[in-house]
Amino acid sequence: EKGTYPHYMLKEIDEQPLVMRKIIQKYQNDNGELTIDQEIITAMNEADRIYIIAAGTSYHAGLVGKQFIEKLAKIPVEVHISSEFGYNMPMLSEKPLFIFITQSGETADSRAVLVQVKEMGYKAITITNVQGSTLSREADYTLLLHAGPEIAVASTKAYTAQLAVLVILAEVTAKSRGMEPNFNLVRELGIIANAMEVLCDEKEEFESIAREFLTVTRNAFFIGRGIDFYVGLEGALKLKEISYIQAEGFAGGELKHGTIALIEEGTPVIAIATQEIVNLGIRGNVKEVVARGANPCIISMKGLEFEGDTFIIPEVHELLTPLVSVLPLQLISYYAALHRDCDVDKPRNLAKSVTVE
Ligand code: F6R
């Protein structure tokens, strides 16, 4: 039930801090340590390469998940769009492990890949929000998101839950390999939950950003470098699916290779700048688009901000910023759709789970 909320999407955005705390609790043992079924950790450790398969928002979570697994557990990861896997099948390693990320657990494109790799005799983990769903039943192992039902077509809390489960999987695997802990993840995820709460309390700010940047535009661009680039892809998808604004997410450095031709007077460019090593690079890109008339909206992180930035998210661990920097993008998309009189929870042409290939 959406209770006092005008839309499920807004309710589900607001639930994200609670979901974070629930995930911490569900994945903690009696000693307060994060744990994952030993069988799953063994499968991770036996693999020489991990193949993440997913669609849409779940694919975007996979792109970030690759960074978590490679940086923390040091296992190579490839991320594939499920509908492409059959045609562009990568050369598989000797001991592949497949991870399917799917909120609904019913996405036909992803299931087709699962059927195919099971036939080939490989092991698969499904990360899903729905216990007993098709992909959960047909995989060897399941990791649950514990996000509660997601009703709005646009995925919000499932995305951040997917990231949280992926980072727990990565860190628990790292620990099992005798690696030094990279951080106190329970603590860091608690900090994330608090930061999410701060952002959920600033809705008016996002409403006014949406009004200023997106009420009358035809298109919008999301740019980022490093992990911020992946968050930009998700921001663009959110915006286009519910507000019908043509939106594109791309790597800041790619601007000059073509896309900059589209920038004209007033084009909104939303830059995500939460990573120290790319901070100056992305700001250089903002200068380039501003020189061509763009209307820039800069989302940065405390400690890395410059004067004139549009919105500053609270400071969280640098690897985990996508869990937080996506909230402004979700909220801006929500208000953009609202200002443009769109049906937020049920956008045209879309269904919550895509059960056809
Ligand atoms: C976007 C969205 C879709 C889904 C995609 C995969 O907001 O909801 O892009 O992410 O259809 O769905 P699942 O995760 O259920 O496999």
Side-chain angles (χ1 to χ4, degrees), residues 18-290:
L18 277 175
V19 172
M20 272 313 112
R21 294 186 184 115
K22 177 104 180 264
I23 291 173
I24 301 171
Q25 184 206 329
K26 289 279 182 186
Y27 282 91
Q28 251 175 341
N29 65 14
D30 294 343
N31 301 325
E33 291 159 355
L34 293 168
T35 60
I36 297 237
D37 279 355
Q38 189 49 48
E39 280 190 317
I40 297 181
I41 297 302
T42 305
M44 292 287 285
N45 282 318
E46 282 171 355
D48 61 355
R49 185 172 285 260
I50 289 168
Y51 296 81
I52 294 180
I53 313 288
T57 289
S58 298
Y59 171 71
H60 296 154
L63 294 171
V64 178
K66 168 185 162 82
Q67 302 302 319
F68 292 161
I69 296 170
E70 290 191 340
K71 295 217 163 84
L72 301 177
K74 315 263 188 263
I75 307 172
V77 181
E78 290 180 23
V79 193
H80 293 273
I81 294 173
S82 49
S83 62
E84 280 295 303
F85 189 85
Y87 319 113
N88 293 331
M89 166 101 84
M91 272 182 70
L92 297 179
S93 64
E94 247 169 68
K95 294 177 186 156
L97 171 67
F98 286 82
I99 300 181
F100 291 83
I101 307 178
T102 169
Q103 187 284 129
S104 63
E106 301 297 341
T107 298
D109 287 327
S110 302
R111 180 180 179 234
V113 181
L114 175 58
V115 169
Q116 191 179 4
V117 302
K118 286 308 301 167
E119 270 168 14
M120 293 161 89
Y122 298 127
K123 288 235 156 90
I125 304 172
T126 291
I127 300 182
T128 183
N129 202 24
V130 184
Q131 192 158 25
S133 57
T134 306
L135 274 101
S136 166
R137 279 185 278 110
E138 294 180 357
D140 300 273
Y141 318 107
T142 296
L143 288 171
L144 287 175
L145 297 178
H146 300 294
E150 193 180 62
I151 312 283
V153 164
S155 183
T156 53
K157 62 177 179 172
Y159 172 81
T160 44
Q162 286 163 346
L163 297 187
V165 170
L166 283 161
V167 76
I168 292 171
L169 176 63
E171 184 65 6
V172 173
T173 304
K175 197 174 166 204
S176 76
R177 293 158 87 86
M179 295 170 180
E180 280 297 304
N182 292 280
F183 38 36
N184 178 341
L185 188 52
V186 171
R187 183 172 165 268
E188 296 300 337
L189 290 174
I191 293 172
I192 298 275
N194 296 342
M196 287 172 158
E197 223 152 51
V198 170
L199 297 177
C200 288
D201 284 342
E202 313 220 325
K203 296 201 182 66
E204 279 155 35
E205 183 81 14
F206 298 116
E207 176 165 16
S208 77
I209 293 175
R211 179 172 291 120
E212 179 187 339
F213 288 89
L214 300 169
T215 312
V216 288
T217 191
R218 273 190 307 129
N219 56 9
F221 296 98
F222 290 77
I223 59 172
R225 288 174 179 250
I227 217 166
D228 289 334
F229 162 43
Y230 302 139
V231 180
L233 293 178
E234 174 57 9
L237 178 60
K238 262 335 49 117
L239 187 66
K240 58 189 149 186
E241 68 182 327
I242 60 168
S243 77
Y244 317 139
I245 295 170
Q246 162 106 53
E248 195 182 341
F250 55 95
E254 276 289 284
L255 264 171
K256 57 186 175 298
H257 299 290
T259 316
I260 202 162
L262 293 170
I263 305 294
E264 36 182 35
E265 201 55 44
T267 306
V269 175
I270 296 152
I272 303 115
T274 70
Q275 302 291 304
E276 185 158 15
I277 52 162
V278 296
N279 199 16
L280 292 179
I282 194 69
R283 286 170 191 284
N285 297 137
V286 171
K287 282 201 191 110
E288 288 160 13
V289 293
V290 167

